Amino acid sequence: MSKLLFCSFFLLSLVSAAQIDVSINAVLNEAEKTLQIEQKIVYQNTSENTLNFIYLNDWAHSFSSKNTPLAERFAEDYQRNFHFAKPEERGSTTIDFINSENQELVWARTTGHPDIVRVKLKKPLPPGKTVELYLQYVVKIPADKFTRYGHENLSDRQAGGNFKLRYWFLSPAVYSDGWQTYSNKNLGDLFVPKTNFKISINVPADYQVVSPLNMKSAEYRTLRKTILLEGKNRTDTRLYLLKKNLPPFERINTNQFQVITNLKDGKLALGMKQFLVGRIAIFLEKRLGKYPFEKILITQEDYLENPVYGLNQLPSFIRPFPDGFQYDIKQLKTITSTYLENTLLLNPRTEKWIIDAIQIKLMMDYVDRYYPDMKLLGSLADFFAIEWFHAADLEFNDQYAFLFMHMARMNLDQALSTPQDSLIKFNENISNTYKAGVGLNYLENFLENDETIQKSIKEFYQKYRLEPISASDFEQTLKKNARKNIAWFFQDYVGTNKKIDFTIDDVRKTEDSLYVTIKNKTEANVPIPLYGLSDGKVVSKKWVENVGEKKTVQIPRKNIDRVGLNYEQIVPEFNQRDNYHRVTTLFNKPFQFRLLLDAQDPRYNQAFLIPEFSYNLYDGIAIGPKLHNKTLLRKNFNYDISPKFGFKSRSLIGSLSIYNIDQYKNQKLHAITYGFGGTRYSYAKDLYYYKLTPFLTLSFRNPNLRNNEAQSLSLRSVNVIRDEGIEKLQDDPDYSVFNIRYGYSNQNMVDYFTATADYQVAKEFSKFAVTATYRKLFRNNRQINLRLFAGTFIFNESRETDFFSFALDRPSDYLFDYNYYGRSESSGLFSQQFIRAEGGFKSQLQPAYANQWITTLNASTNLWKWIYVYGDVGLVKNTGVSPQFVYDSGIRMSFVQDYFELFFPVYSNLGWEIDQPNYDQKIRFIVSLDISTLIKLFTREWY
């Protein structure tokens, strides 16, 4: 289309009094998966500054390559599908021109941010004046498998498929104290000013167009149609272009607005859905104020971006909640989020916590009102095998504080004021959102007035709806309505990640009073409620403020037998187990034993029993009870006592450990762990070993938690006592080794690097070794893996045996660190188990050990998906012998890396191994039964 026709089209657009008007003429090419777009932007300078440039968000272009901020974000989150995507699956924007006043403007993509376009104006734009920009460009729509938005192929028989469009055109950025621009990082947080839209979209005639904008007309021509959409003061311009033969979006009418939704409902009757959605609309209008638009679009993609965690994880055949509850909560969360995001013009990258706080607080109040008896586990809480767990006692709303505290206990929580792109995934999706809502609930209880927070939220919404605002406006509204000083909420709760943790230091009794000394174990200056308890019932309650380091308060004695802090668990406190002090009882808290793993009940001293099993060739399957104090939330002090009975060895084996973790916030020293561990297992038939190990570990982590860089320094003394068999493995079967190990890691999907330096000293030897592993994923999807090992003895007086020597392919593991299933086997299946340690060779070559020094290099690269070719080379030096060169090569099948792999030797010093007899005995394998370690593969993107 020529520029003349292009300009003529926009002369038809209506003049509006709004600050920004955008008119778009778009044509969908369903075969090419592109949009041909002609656009007019009328931009008014509402600032006090003269503008020489205008910035445009071009987030469709963030899918254009593997080195955009979006691609880097995918790599950080271990989302591999974008890196391995075909070129036609990625998206991009090709700009033909940007004009103003019939003159072409100079534009450029911002350095480091290719999805931000900087347009130089022909002349400065003074305050209050407007400029008209004319643009022509083509958007290539990406596949929806990256972000759930994009093109979705239905089948080979249905060319084109569905198109779910979000951030699909160039939009002006917000100017407020400078241009507020940032790149797309799949956070759903584009910051745009309210705009008047007029969109003409041309699509095939068999497509359905779904949008939150108002449809003004539909013009049909042969095989195609043109839909005209309009909307004023909008920020939401999603478009769904769908095949007609698909299940359509449902339109649910309420007295407040029309809900257009395809949210899955589990075959709920339409009448029930209308009732539930209508109730939500009434609730939100009452608590917030009127929604300013006629329609609200609620999609499955919206929900999956921020689901109700827990509910969405359950298989469809498990329905522990009443009919309609799951649909009700899904719609409540998604409608509330969309309601707020479409009307509160906050910067979602830096101030999203406000919307999160209001959303979760409204959800908590809604459940309290309409589902007051709903348990977190639903009807599962009534099952005879579950009902005695403390988790069965938890209310549905208890999940918010619980999941926030999960990150606090891991020392990975971040301040609510942290920008969204600086949050680790668990905090971004769950923890910070829940902390914000729990904070408003905490504040409401502290103010001791149910109406204060509700009044403030409604006042804030009605006053600032569709107006540019900041977090300070929300703060001022709350402070204005509060009868107490709530500065602590914004300073310590919102602005920092300080832990909240109090304990009762002392209780002094008089005839009619109790003088309770409260100790603040952290620097958080926040209020805490103090309770007087009698037979587990609340006799008195008092909010204590400004505790400082310690504070003594007086309460009436009455019939109080115990005093407690935070008894109703209103405050998201780090450790509630030391919150009680006896007055007339024998113990501060009663003891309680539970089976299996359970949620923490701070009212009791808890211990747990759980069955545990292990396996090795000599003990066989070993089963026994594990006594421990671990709950679903991590603790600092932990103990495990795990005796087992080996059914093959018919003996008592097992382990025990006691350790404590001291955590440090916002500094490189992340934690110090110290403790003691002991084990007893068989190391050969009818031979046992005892391992006793005191240890100290310093863990370092980059204060920027999204940075995967980590370091550790560990010191331990490994003391081994072994049974001595008929065949002596060495003169003295018992030994002690002092071990210092430094580790460094920076594990990312594209560039992966780890290194360790290990020093060991014992009576008979002293040795030093370094290991470095590097993995690189190239843009052509080729992956290379390199591992270097080098070790040398400083002195070695045990050369008559290779028990302490460096191993080429199968370490003797004299420290008993590795999970060998048959550690003493020299033939048979169990001798073929491969442990990636020391030399790292897969072929069993000679010399198999080095009693002086060794250096090896292991390498592999992928041939196809999980099939790799590997090669190892090395030098092995033994006393009195020249260094010997060794090598091997073969095929590696990595089904689950480091957990389930097979190695097929092909060629080595032995020649063509694949042609040699008993080849099946040369195949090596990695099989891990450590489920907890395996789970980390699938949860690493969250932490």
Side-chain angles (χ1 to χ4, degrees):
M1 184 181 293
S2 68
K3 294 182 181 179
L4 178 61
L5 290 176
F6 171 64
C7 295
S8 298
F9 167 80
F10 287 113
L11 291 176
L12 299 176
S13 61
L14 299 176
V15 177
S16 171
Q19 297 167 358
I20 298 176
D21 294 293
V22 170
S23 301
I24 292 175
N25 182 21
V27 179
L28 172 68
N29 185 328
E30 67 277 13
E32 297 294 328
K33 300 179 178 60
T34 61
L35 286 171
Q36 176 73 44
I37 296 177
E38 296 170 340
Q39 182 175 353
K40 175 184 176 181
I41 300 174
V42 181
Y43 183 87
Q44 182 181 18
N45 181 7
T46 58
S47 73
E48 298 177 354
N49 302 321
T50 297
L51 304 180
N52 295 302
F53 300 90
I54 289 180
Y55 283 81
L56 303 176
N57 302 295
D58 184 15
W59 280 18
H61 198 66
S62 59
F63 297 87
S64 59
S65 73
K66 296 182 181 181
N67 58 356
T68 65
L70 177 64
E72 293 172 0
R73 183 77 176 198
F74 285 145
E76 290 173 359
D77 290 342
Y78 292 90
Q79 188 170 333
R80 300 170 63 90
N81 60 359
F82 186 80
H83 192 96
F84 290 104
K86 300 174 183 177
E88 59 268 23
E89 292 179 314
R90 297 196 183 94
S92 62
T93 302
T94 303
I95 300 177
D96 298 326
F97 64 80
I98 301 177
N99 286 353
S100 180
E101 298 180 354
N102 294 319
Q103 296 184 30
E104 192 157 349
L105 302 180
V106 176
W107 61 272
R109 298 191 180 278
T110 307
T111 303
H113 301 275
D115 50 1
I116 302 296
V117 176
R118 182 174 182 259
V119 181
K120 181 175 175 57
L121 301 176
K122 283 294 183 182
K123 56 185 178 181
L125 183 64
K129 299 299 182 179
T130 61
V131 63
E132 296 182 358
L133 303 180
Y134 298 88
L135 304 86
Q136 182 170 295
Y137 54 95
V138 177
V139 171
K140 185 174 180 295
I141 303 169
D144 70 340
K145 66 181 182 180
F146 310 129
T147 66
R148 300 189 182 92
Y149 285 93
H151 68 79
E152 175 192 43
N153 288 327
L154 301 180
S155 68
D156 294 336
R157 294 172 296 175
Q158 294 176 302
N162 294 328
F163 295 87
K164 300 171 289 184
L165 307 180
R166 187 183 193 186
Y167 313 139
W168 55 277
F169 61 90
L170 275 72
S171 59
V174 172
Y175 187 91
S176 175
D177 296 325
W179 289 101
Q180 305 297 309
T181 59
Y182 44 78
S183 287
N184 182 14
K185 294 187 176 180
N186 193 29
L187 300 173
D189 61 350
L190 180 63
F191 189 28
V192 292
K194 63 180 180 181
T195 302
N196 293 335
F197 287 100
K198 184 176 181 181
I199 298 174
S200 173
I201 179 77
N202 182 274
V203 297
D206 62 343
Y207 270 74
Q208 175 191 9
V209 178
V210 180
S211 168
L213 303 177
N214 299 320
M215 181 182 293
K216 290 299 182 180
S217 65
E219 180 182 345
Y220 291 85
R221 294 187 179 180
T222 305
L223 300 180
R224 297 188 71 87
K225 65 183 178 183
T226 300
I227 305 296
L228 181 61
L229 304 168
E230 291 185 2
K232 293 185 177 181
N233 298 325
R234 302 301 186 98
T235 58
D236 183 7
T237 52
R238 288 168 297 157
L239 278 181
Y240 278 65
L241 311 177
L242 311 172
K243 288 283 188 180
K244 271 191 172 180
N245 58 352
L246 289 176
F249 275 70
E250 292 181 323
R251 298 177 183 268
I252 301 176
N253 294 311
T254 73
N255 292 331
Q256 288 70 35
F257 43 77
Q258 183 185 71
V259 176
I260 306 173
T261 181
N262 67 344
L263 200 61
K264 294 180 180 179
D265 54 36
K267 299 181 180 180
L268 199 64
L270 179 60
M272 177 60 73
K273 287 188 285 187
Q274 289 174 333
F275 168 76
L276 295 174
V277 170
R279 186 170 70 182
I280 292 170
I282 294 171
F283 176 79
L284 292 179
E285 183 172 287
K286 180 179 179 181
R287 294 293 300 272
L288 294 173
K290 185 174 178 59
Y291 188 67
F293 308 122
E294 298 175 11
K295 299 187 294 184
I296 187 168
L297 180 62
I298 305 299
T299 70
Q300 185 69 12
E301 290 69 32
D302 295 333
Y303 172 71
L304 292 176
E305 183 176 320
N306 191 11
V308 180
Y309 288 94
L311 286 178
N312 69 311
Q313 308 300 325
L314 295 174
S316 58
F317 62 86
I318 299 177
R319 297 194 177 278
F321 299 100
D323 290 343
F325 175 77
Q326 187 162 325
Y327 179 79
D328 196 10
I329 297 302
K330 286 182 178 181
Q331 284 287 13
L332 172 67
K333 186 169 190 179
T334 314
I335 292 175
T336 304
S337 176
T338 306
Y339 200 107
L340 294 169
E341 290 173 359
N342 288 351
T343 53
L344 293 181
L345 306 184
L346 291 153
N347 186 331
R349 180 65 57 96
T350 59
E351 297 175 322
K352 185 175 180 291
W353 72 267
I354 296 174
I355 289 178
D356 291 339
I358 296 173
Q359 178 198 41
I360 298 301
K361 183 65 175 75
L362 289 172
M363 290 185 64
M364 294 173 74
D365 291 349
Y366 184 90
V367 169
D368 282 340
R369 179 173 180 178
Y370 295 109
Y371 303 98
D373 299 321
M374 184 60 63
K375 298 295 184 180
L376 178 59
L377 300 181
S379 59
L380 294 177
D382 297 326
F383 282 16
F384 73 94
I386 297 177
E387 61 181 352
W388 53 271
F389 282 91
H390 180 60
D393 298 328
L394 297 180
E395 303 293 334
F396 186 83
N397 284 338
D398 288 335
Q399 65 179 303
Y400 303 115
F402 183 88
L403 288 171
F404 156 59
M405 193 52 58
H406 167 68
M407 296 304 284
R409 292 284 184 87
M410 294 183 69
N411 201 21
L412 295 176
D413 53 316
Q414 295 170 278
L416 291 180
S417 55
T418 305
Q420 291 294 295
D421 61 339
S422 296
L423 296 173
I424 56 179
K425 188 172 181 179
F426 196 99
N427 288 336
E428 173 217 330
N429 284 32
I430 304 175
S431 181
N432 275 38
T433 299
Y434 291 177
K435 179 185 178 182
V438 168
L440 281 188
N441 193 62
Y442 175 16
L443 195 59
E444 182 177 77
N445 278 275
F446 168 68
L447 295 175
E448 300 178 287
N449 186 339
D450 291 342
E451 300 297 323
T452 302
I453 297 299
Q454 293 185 23
K455 175 184 176 182
S456 298
I457 291 174
K458 188 169 186 177
E459 179 182 323
F460 172 74
Y461 182 84
Q462 293 184 336
K463 181 177 180 179
Y464 295 109
R465 181 184 61 188
L466 294 176
E467 296 296 331
I469 50 174
S470 66
S472 61
D473 297 310
F474 186 62
E475 179 178 353
Q476 291 171 9
T477 303
L478 287 176
K479 286 182 175 179
K480 178 174 68 70
N481 293 322
R483 296 180 300 170
K484 298 181 181 180
N485 181 6
I486 60 170
W488 59 268
F489 179 76
F490 297 94
Q491 293 171 2
D492 283 19
Y493 191 87
V494 172
T496 75
N497 63 342
K498 294 178 182 177
K499 291 181 172 67
I500 301 173
D501 197 6
F502 295 87
T503 188
I504 297 177
D505 192 57
D506 184 49
V507 175
R508 184 166 56 87
K509 296 172 281 187
T510 65
E511 185 175 344
D512 58 355
S513 298
L514 296 175
Y515 293 86
V516 183
T517 300
I518 300 172
K519 180 181 179 181
N520 188 347
K521 297 165 64 178
T522 70
E523 298 177 353
N525 184 17
V526 300
I528 189 77
L530 173 65
Y531 296 82
L533 304 173
S534 178
D535 292 329
K537 296 181 180 179
V538 176
V539 176
S540 66
K541 176 182 176 181
K542 180 177 183 177
W543 280 95
V544 183
E545 303 176 58
N546 301 312
V547 174
E549 185 176 344
K550 287 186 180 181
K551 186 173 185 177
T552 300
V553 295
Q554 178 186 4
I555 62 173
R557 183 163 182 173
K558 298 182 180 179
N559 296 318
I560 294 173
D561 55 37
R562 282 191 302 155
V563 291
L565 296 171
N566 198 21
Y567 178 74
E568 296 174 298
Q569 301 181 43
I570 296 165
V571 182
E573 195 180 2
F574 180 76
N575 178 18
Q576 299 179 34
R577 298 184 303 278
D578 58 359
N579 282 8
Y580 298 89
H581 200 289
R582 64 187 181 87
V583 176
T584 61
T585 59
L586 182 60
F587 299 106
N588 288 336
K589 296 188 298 182
F591 288 89
Q592 182 186 75
F593 284 92
R594 293 280 196 177
L595 292 178
L596 305 178
L597 193 64
D598 198 359
Q600 173 185 295
D601 189 341
R603 299 170 300 177
Y604 297 91
N605 289 308
Q606 292 178 299
F608 302 91
L609 279 173
I610 185 172
E612 188 176 69
F613 76 94
S614 63
Y615 174 81
N616 68 55
L617 179 62
Y618 315 113
D619 293 312
I621 296 175
I623 300 177
K626 179 169 78 170
L627 177 67
H628 67 99
N629 70 330
K630 295 178 182 178
T631 63
L632 294 176
L633 294 176
R634 178 187 287 185
K635 292 182 177 181
N636 285 358
F637 176 76
N638 300 269
Y639 62 82
D640 285 308
I641 304 173
S642 181
K644 302 184 188 70
F645 179 77
F647 284 90
K648 186 174 182 180
S649 62
R650 304 192 67 80
S651 63
L652 184 65
I653 56 177
S655 63
L656 68 87
S657 67
I658 301 173
Y659 64 93
N660 190 72
I661 306 173
D662 293 335
Q663 297 178 334
Y664 303 89
K665 299 203 67 74
N666 306 321
Q667 51 184 295
K668 288 188 176 180
L669 179 58
H670 189 70
I672 298 178
T673 306
Y674 48 91
F676 174 86
T679 57
R680 179 184 190 263
Y681 287 100
S682 298
Y683 71 88
K685 185 178 180 181
D686 297 327
L687 298 176
Y688 300 91
Y689 75 88
Y690 301 81
K691 175 182 173 182
L692 307 175
T693 309
F695 65 90
L696 170 69
T697 301
L698 285 73
S699 302
F700 302 86
R701 180 162 180 165
N702 196 304
N704 173 14
L705 295 181
R706 284 202 63 85
N707 190 319
N708 287 330
E709 185 181 41
Q711 301 177 71
S712 65
L713 179 65
S714 65
L715 295 85
R716 61 176 178 163
S717 175
V718 182
N719 305 279
V720 177
I721 303 171
R722 295 184 300 162
D723 290 344
E724 186 173 2
I726 298 176
E727 297 180 2
K728 293 185 178 181
L729 296 180
Q730 64 182 78
D731 292 338
D732 185 357
D734 304 333
Y735 52 89
S736 296
V737 179
F738 180 70
N739 180 210
I740 302 176
R741 176 174 296 181
Y742 167 77
Y744 174 88
S745 68
N746 195 353
Q747 302 179 20
N748 297 286
M749 191 188 80
V750 175
D751 288 287
Y752 175 104
F753 179 75
T754 63
T756 60
D758 187 272
Y759 173 72
Q760 299 175 19
V761 61
K763 179 180 178 181
E764 295 181 303
F765 71 91
S766 174
K767 64 198 297 189
F768 178 77
V770 294
T771 308
T773 302
Y774 177 70
R775 185 163 66 232
K776 175 71 175 179
L777 180 60
F778 294 95
R779 293 185 183 179
N780 63 357
N781 297 337
R782 176 72 63 188
Q783 178 174 300
I784 185 170
N785 305 275
L786 299 173
R787 178 181 177 273
L788 173 68
F789 176 79
T792 183
F793 279 91
I794 299 172
F795 72 85
N796 187 3
E797 298 177 359
S798 63
R799 291 173 178 170
E800 294 182 2
T801 173
D802 281 318
F803 187 65
F804 295 120
S805 297
F806 295 109
L808 185 66
D809 74 279
R810 185 174 168 83
S812 60
D813 190 27
Y814 52 86
L815 296 180
F816 295 93
D817 286 338
Y818 307 133
N819 187 24
Y820 275 120
Y821 301 124
R823 63 177 58 249
S824 298
E825 299 304 293
S826 58
S827 62
L829 177 65
F830 287 95
S831 69
Q832 296 170 232
Q833 182 183 359
F834 176 71
I835 300 291
R836 189 174 279 108
E838 299 191 7
F841 268 58
K842 290 78 183 176
S843 293
Q844 298 176 340
L845 307 177
Q846 295 297 326
Y849 296 96
N851 61 20
Q852 193 167 350
W853 59 262
I854 184 175
T855 179
T856 62
L857 177 66
N858 317 125
S860 67
T861 186
N862 55 316
L863 295 177
W864 177 80
K865 292 186 178 180
W866 39 267
I867 300 178
Y868 294 75
V869 58
Y870 73 80
D872 306 315
V873 295
L875 289 170
V876 179
K877 178 68 172 69
N878 283 287
T879 304
V881 181
S882 299
Q884 295 177 265
F885 178 71
V886 289
Y887 63 90
D888 71 3
S889 61
I891 300 297
R892 165 189 166 208
M893 293 187 175
S894 179
F895 302 103
V896 181
Q897 186 165 319
D898 297 328
Y899 298 93
F900 183 29
E901 301 187 41
L902 297 175
F903 301 88
F904 297 87
V906 175
Y907 191 79
S908 69
N909 291 75
L910 301 175
W912 290 99
E913 295 192 52
I914 197 168
D915 288 337
Q916 297 175 3
N918 301 317
Y919 179 74
D920 59 318
Q921 298 178 20
K922 297 177 179 287
I923 299 171
R924 307 294 293 275
F925 66 88
I926 294 176
V927 175
S928 175
L929 299 178
D930 188 348
I931 302 300
S932 62
T933 306
L934 182 60
I935 290 174
K936 292 180 181 178
L937 272 182
F938 304 98
T939 60
R940 59 188 175 182
E941 66 183 86
W942 291 87
Y943 303 103

